[in-house]
Amino acid sequence: MIQKTLLGNTGISVSQIGLGTVKFGRNQKINYPETFDLPSDNEIIELLYCAEELGINILDTAPAYGTSEERLGKLLKSQRQNWILCTKVGEEFINGESSFDFSTTNLRTSIERSLNRLKTDYLDIVLVHSNGEDKKIIDQDNVFSTLADLKKSGLIRAFGMSTKTLEGGLLAVDQSDVVMVTYNPTHTLEQPVIAHAKQKNKGIFIKKALVSGHLQKIADADADPIQTAMQFIFEEQGISSIIVGTLNPEHLRYNVHCAALALKAKHL
C-alpha cells in the first residue's frame, strides 16, 4: 500500500505512485522496448481495481495519449470521486503524428473536450504538454495566465507543465502549482527543479522514472534496477509522486512494493 502526500500547496492529496495511462489508448510512436496491443476494457478495469487496492489515486492522461481520456471517462463511471485526474493541453496525436498548439483558444477548447471525454465537470490537474520550447511557451504563449483563469472559474484545481528543459522547469515552479520532470539514475539534469519546488512548496511529479521500460542494471550485478531507481528518486526531498505506466497488475504491484520500501528506508 502506497501512502499519500500533499501536492505542494494545492491542498490535493496524491499517492506517491501514480498510474500513467498512455498505454490505455496509444501504441504508435512511443519509446517502449516492446510493441503491445491496446488493452480491453476488462483489462483496464482490472488494472484500475488493482491500483485502487494499492492506494494509488492519480491517473495521468492526455489528449496525445490516443483514446486514453475517452476510455477512462467510460470506465470510471461513478468512481470519479475516488481519483485525482491529471490531463494535459498543447499536444495532439492524430493519424500517427504529434502537433502542438499553445494558443489560449486551443487550451480552452482542449480542456472543454477533456471534461467531456472524462465525463466530469472539473479536472484536478492540467499540465502543459511541452514540445521542448518551455521558455517560449511560458513567456510568449502565456499558458499559465490562461490556466489560472480556468482555475479561478473552477474548471481545474491545479495547473503546471510537463517540462523538458532545466530553465523551463525552474520557470514553471515559480509560475504554477506543479511541475512534471524527468528524473532517474541516468538523467539528473533537472534535479535543481525538484530542489526549487521543495523550497517554494510546489508539487513535483516524476516521469520516466524507469526510463520508459529501458531501465537496465544500474548498480552492481545483484541490484534490482527498479528498487535502485525508486530509492534514488525518493532520496530527493519534495517528490510528490512518481508516475509509472504499465498494463500488468503484477508489474504495478512490484513498482508500489519497491516504492514503499524506498520510502520506509528514507524515514528510518
Side-chain angles (χ1 to χ4, degrees):
M1 188 90 169
I2 197 69
Q3 299 301 307
K4 293 180 176 64
T5 188
L6 285 175
L7 181 67
N9 57 17
T10 65
I12 300 173
S13 180
V14 296
S15 54
Q16 291 177 284
I17 293 291
L19 179 60
T21 66
V22 61
K23 290 183 176 180
F24 287 14
R26 174 177 165 185
N27 57 7
Q28 296 175 286
K29 293 192 177 179
I30 47 180
N31 186 30
Y32 292 111
E34 298 177 358
T35 59
F36 60 92
D37 293 327
L38 295 181
S40 66
D41 285 355
N42 285 338
E43 286 171 327
I44 293 177
I45 290 169
E46 180 185 1
L47 188 67
L48 292 174
Y49 178 81
C50 175
E52 193 169 14
E53 186 181 52
L54 292 167
I56 292 172
N57 73 341
I58 307 170
L59 297 175
D60 178 65
T61 185
Y65 294 172
T67 57
S68 174
E69 286 184 319
E70 294 99 321
R71 300 192 76 183
L72 284 172
K74 180 178 74 170
L75 297 175
L76 290 179
K77 296 181 180 177
S78 62
Q79 303 300 310
R80 166 67 178 97
Q81 70 280 2
N82 297 341
W83 300 96
I84 301 298
L85 296 181
C86 174
T87 193
K88 303 180 185 72
V89 290
E91 182 181 359
E92 305 286 336
F93 185 80
I94 301 171
N95 297 324
E97 297 294 335
S98 279
S99 61
F100 296 88
D101 184 346
F102 302 103
S103 66
T104 296
T105 299
N106 186 64
L107 264 58
R108 290 180 177 274
T109 299
S110 180
I111 285 175
E112 290 172 2
R113 186 185 58 192
S114 291
L115 289 165
N116 183 59
R117 287 176 171 176
L118 289 162
K119 301 187 187 306
T120 182
D121 55 5
Y122 70 96
L123 299 167
D124 296 288
I125 304 159
V126 173
L127 302 179
V128 178
H129 218 161
S130 177
N131 63 354
E133 298 178 334
D134 297 346
K135 188 175 189 302
K136 176 180 180 296
I137 295 166
I138 295 170
D139 290 345
Q140 297 182 32
D141 293 313
N142 298 312
V143 289
F144 292 148
S145 176
T146 301
L147 294 176
D149 287 343
L150 290 163
K151 181 179 177 180
K152 288 177 185 176
S153 73
L155 291 181
I156 62 179
R157 298 174 67 194
F159 65 88
M161 179 181 277
S162 177
T163 57
K164 293 188 176 180
T165 66
L166 175 58
E167 182 180 31
L170 294 171
L171 284 171
V173 168
D174 288 335
Q175 299 184 39
S176 69
D177 303 309
V178 56
V179 183
M180 179 181 279
V181 299
T182 299
Y183 188 68
N184 59 59
T186 69
H187 182 99
T188 60
L189 178 67
E190 293 160 79
Q191 187 278 336
V193 179
I194 301 170
H196 190 48
K198 170 66 175 173
Q199 182 183 35
K200 296 282 188 176
N201 191 27
K202 299 295 182 71
I204 284 286
F205 287 157
I206 301 297
K207 58 184 174 180
K208 297 181 172 59
L210 306 179
V211 199
S212 301
H214 295 275
L215 191 64
Q216 303 298 323
K217 297 291 185 181
I218 52 179
D220 60 69
D222 296 324
D224 181 308
I226 294 177
Q227 181 66 54
T228 302
M230 292 292 183
Q231 288 178 338
F232 178 85
I233 294 167
F234 279 123
E235 280 176 1
E236 286 292 325
Q237 298 294 317
I239 303 293
S240 306
S241 186
I242 295 175
I243 307 299
V244 297
T246 183
L247 296 176
N248 186 322
E250 290 310 309
H251 289 171
L252 187 60
R253 289 183 189 279
Y254 190 66
N255 286 335
V256 167
H257 170 73
C258 290
L261 288 178
L263 287 163
K264 182 177 180 180
K266 177 181 179 179
H267 292 113
L268 287 178

